[in-house]
Amino acid sequence: MNKLIDISIYIIIVLAVLAFTGAATAATIDTGSPGSGGTSGGGSTDTKKDTLELVATVIKNEKPEVRGDLYGGADPTNPSLKLLDSPVGNYGYLDISADGQFRYYIKNDLPQVQALGLNELATETFRYQFTDSNEFTVSATLTIYVLGNPSVSYDNVEIEFNNTTTSASPLHAGSSSDLGQYMRGQLITSSDRDWFEFNSLGNEIVSLELCPEGSQCFDEKNWVMYVFDAEKFNKQHIESKTYQLRRYVRETGEILETDNADHMYLLLNKGIFDNSLVGVIDPCFGDRRTLDIGVGAGGKTFYVAITSPLVRKDSGGPCGSGDVIREEEIKVLAGDNRVTIIQEYLTAYYSDDQYSFRITRTGADPFAVIQPMNSTFDSTGRVANVPQIRINNQLYSLNFKQLNAVSNNDPMTFGIQSYELLDTPLVSNSYLPTFNPANNIVRIPQLVLDTGAAYTVELLYQPLSNTLQLLRADPLN
């Protein structure tokens, strides 16, 4: 997406933190009943429609969903609910069950959600009707208040395509006093693999969580997390490893055909990863969704991969038991004899829903160690220099300069001075600034001021206004 660097860029600095607490749900109902007033023509009865107004609140980054009862506590004898508006709103979506229970979930990765700044409020309104126990038609509305809280980034989104270690999405893990961000990703196909990368300075414990309690994927078992020692993984050229599936005659053992399979769950179960695998979270076995890794002295780089699990050949457990290579028997005639051909194959336990995970360290932030190739900001000339930034799978250099003085909460505006497409191959690098077209967020893991202070910076690109908003600027330890 080249237009990020071809336009004027504005950055709004968020100078304060606003904390919203809780999510309130309220309802008011007009319990109208048939009127008793008559007319000179012999009298008539008016039927008054009931009205119901529900109000609920979600908070960007902090309270992503709210649940409630669309009947407002009423108990219709023959419930019949009709939604008059689309369940897909501007900021999230509405799920409705048959018994009238609703769940509204804010989509934090939408640009319009991330654009909600300090003290900003947005609303969603859903109109619907139902018939109550007195057979009155109730006209109802559900209003969702969406509160902005830009001081916290609830989650990040993987940067596609990240199907190889070279294009791994960089991760900035949290610390023991400041939990890491949730990273959200999605497997596009059953054979898709998502790669991520993070660093450690050593002498610490790194804790990883996959679909932890409270996440949208908590009850699902469709993802496996692998953690590798990056140096060993690369030296052993494991990324190119495969395992042979066969088509053979059972009676004679004659191999008729072979196919090289590279599904990571197959390679895991065949021991291909034994020398570089640090740990794994496999929800098909056990109930734990966490993994703690002890890192010794010296810095180390880790790869994290997410794939689907494979269904095993025998029944039992959430994903079966036995070998991950399944077999299909095919009876055929070979001359006067009937033989059995065995076809080996794989079946993935696959979901196209989004998964989430989080990484937290107990030691110092490795980004606090200044790297040779880092982004800098000259506080005198007010010029930022980004030697390398990834946009899609290309690298650019970028310089931009502050154009206006800033006081209080006034916007700080920057203009592009220069940019250049670099003839440099993309390599795995946790410190690399990136632009993610999935959520329009620019991440600069390490921006170093001329004073020596360093920050991790997240910026939101807004296509409609051609702006970047600073979502967070966290000082590094």
Side-chain angles (χ1 to χ4, degrees):
M1 184 175 181
N2 296 338
K3 63 181 179 179
L4 174 66
I5 60 173
D6 293 334
I7 57 177
S8 297
I9 297 180
Y10 302 88
I11 297 179
I12 296 178
I13 300 295
V14 178
L15 299 175
V17 175
L18 177 65
F20 295 108
T21 57
T25 301
T28 59
I29 184 168
D30 173 14
T31 55
S33 57
S36 57
T39 67
S40 58
S44 67
T45 301
D46 296 330
T47 300
K48 183 178 181 180
K49 291 184 178 180
D50 287 359
T51 61
L52 175 66
E53 296 179 359
L54 294 177
V55 177
T57 301
V58 291
I59 306 173
K60 166 191 167 186
N61 305 322
E62 292 186 1
K63 185 69 176 178
E65 70 174 70
V66 65
R67 299 172 183 264
D69 178 14
L70 288 178
Y71 295 131
D75 185 19
T77 304
N78 298 304
S80 176
L81 191 147
K82 179 181 180 181
L83 186 63
L84 303 179
D85 295 311
S86 170
V88 179
N90 291 325
Y91 302 91
Y93 57 85
L94 182 68
D95 284 337
I96 301 175
S97 61
D99 60 357
Q101 299 300 304
F102 77 85
R103 169 182 177 265
Y104 177 87
Y105 191 91
I106 186 175
K107 294 195 67 176
N108 276 290
D109 54 346
L110 288 175
Q112 56 268 37
V113 174
Q114 290 294 336
L116 289 175
L118 206 62
N119 295 324
E120 290 188 329
L121 172 70
T123 60
E124 300 260 43
T125 301
F126 300 94
R127 298 172 301 138
Y128 61 98
Q129 291 180 340
F130 66 89
T131 304
D132 70 6
S133 57
N134 295 318
E135 297 187 353
F136 299 147
T137 299
V138 178
S139 296
T141 59
L142 170 63
T143 300
I144 304 292
Y145 290 105
V146 183
L147 302 179
N149 183 9
S151 63
V152 180
S153 184
Y154 174 76
D155 62 9
N156 219 319
V157 182
E158 63 165 321
I159 302 174
E160 288 281 11
F161 293 95
N162 58 337
N163 301 337
T164 65
T165 55
T166 301
S167 57
S169 298
L171 297 173
H172 188 187
S175 65
S176 56
S177 60
D178 183 15
L179 294 178
Q181 292 176 277
Y182 281 109
M183 171 63 72
R184 185 171 297 181
Q186 184 177 31
L187 297 178
I188 306 303
T189 66
S190 61
S191 59
D192 189 17
R193 57 186 68 180
D194 292 339
W195 284 100
F196 305 88
E197 180 184 18
F198 71 94
N199 295 334
S200 169
L201 289 178
N203 292 321
E204 66 171 341
I205 295 174
V206 179
S207 178
L208 298 97
E209 306 168 82
L210 174 65
C211 294
E213 186 173 359
S215 65
Q216 80 280 5
C217 59
F218 172 67
D219 293 326
E220 302 182 45
K221 299 181 180 293
N222 303 88
W223 303 276
V224 178
M225 173 187 284
Y226 318 74
V227 184
F228 299 97
D229 181 312
E231 183 180 6
K232 293 181 179 179
F233 189 90
N234 292 330
K235 282 184 177 180
Q236 297 161 11
H237 305 287
I238 292 179
E239 197 161 3
S240 60
K241 301 289 186 181
T242 61
Y243 191 87
Q244 198 173 78
L245 300 181
R246 303 169 300 160
R247 189 170 184 265
Y248 65 95
V249 180
R250 171 181 286 172
E251 288 79 5
T252 65
E254 178 188 1
I255 297 177
L256 304 177
E257 189 178 1
T258 61
D259 181 32
N260 293 325
D262 65 351
H263 195 289
M264 290 186 65
Y265 199 71
L266 169 65
L267 302 182
L268 169 72
N269 283 271
K270 296 305 177 182
I272 305 298
F273 298 149
D274 285 354
N275 293 327
S276 61
L277 185 70
V278 177
V280 63
I281 300 177
D282 184 354
C284 286
F285 291 90
D287 298 324
R288 292 187 63 84
R289 299 297 186 97
T290 61
L291 174 66
D292 290 336
I293 297 173
V295 186
K300 188 173 286 292
T301 299
F302 296 93
Y303 290 141
V304 175
I306 306 289
T307 75
S308 61
L310 296 175
V311 180
R312 296 173 182 264
K313 62 185 299 184
D314 302 321
S315 61
C319 303
S321 61
D323 202 328
V324 297
I325 299 178
R326 310 184 76 190
E327 297 179 343
E328 179 185 5
E329 296 185 355
I330 306 172
K331 303 289 187 180
V332 298
L333 284 175
D336 296 331
N337 299 320
R338 181 176 293 275
V339 298
T340 303
I341 294 178
I342 303 299
Q343 175 68 62
E344 296 180 336
Y345 68 98
L346 307 175
T347 299
Y349 197 66
Y350 168 67
S351 171
D352 61 359
D353 293 338
Q354 285 190 313
Y355 61 83
S356 63
F357 68 92
R358 181 167 60 185
I359 301 177
T360 305
R361 299 181 315 266
T362 59
D365 191 337
F367 287 85
V369 177
I370 307 302
Q371 302 299 305
M373 180 72 73
N374 59 76
S375 302
T376 60
F377 185 75
D378 176 7
S379 57
T380 302
R382 313 303 292 176
V383 174
N385 170 253
V386 182
Q388 290 185 349
I389 180 172
R390 175 188 172 189
I391 302 176
N392 293 325
N393 282 328
Q394 293 182 310
L395 294 178
Y396 292 81
S397 64
L398 179 66
N399 290 285
F400 51 92
K401 182 176 182 178
Q402 182 179 338
L403 300 178
N404 65 322
V406 176
S407 60
N408 298 324
N409 288 333
D410 294 339
M412 182 181 293
T413 304
F414 289 80
I416 299 293
Q417 283 193 318
S418 63
Y419 64 88
E420 181 182 359
L421 174 63
L422 302 177
D423 186 18
T424 305
L426 184 65
V427 296
S428 178
N429 184 357
S430 296
Y431 295 87
L432 181 67
T434 54
F435 168 69
N436 189 351
N439 60 359
N440 285 341
I441 288 181
V442 175
R443 301 193 74 203
I444 303 178
Q446 187 181 78
L447 180 66
V448 182
L449 279 62
D450 51 7
T451 60
Y455 292 83
T456 290
V457 176
E458 286 188 6
L459 308 162
L460 176 68
Y461 171 63
Q462 296 178 290
L464 296 180
S465 60
N466 290 336
T467 62
L468 281 173
Q469 288 186 328
L470 184 65
L471 298 179
R472 60 188 295 166
D474 296 334
L476 297 173
N477 297 334

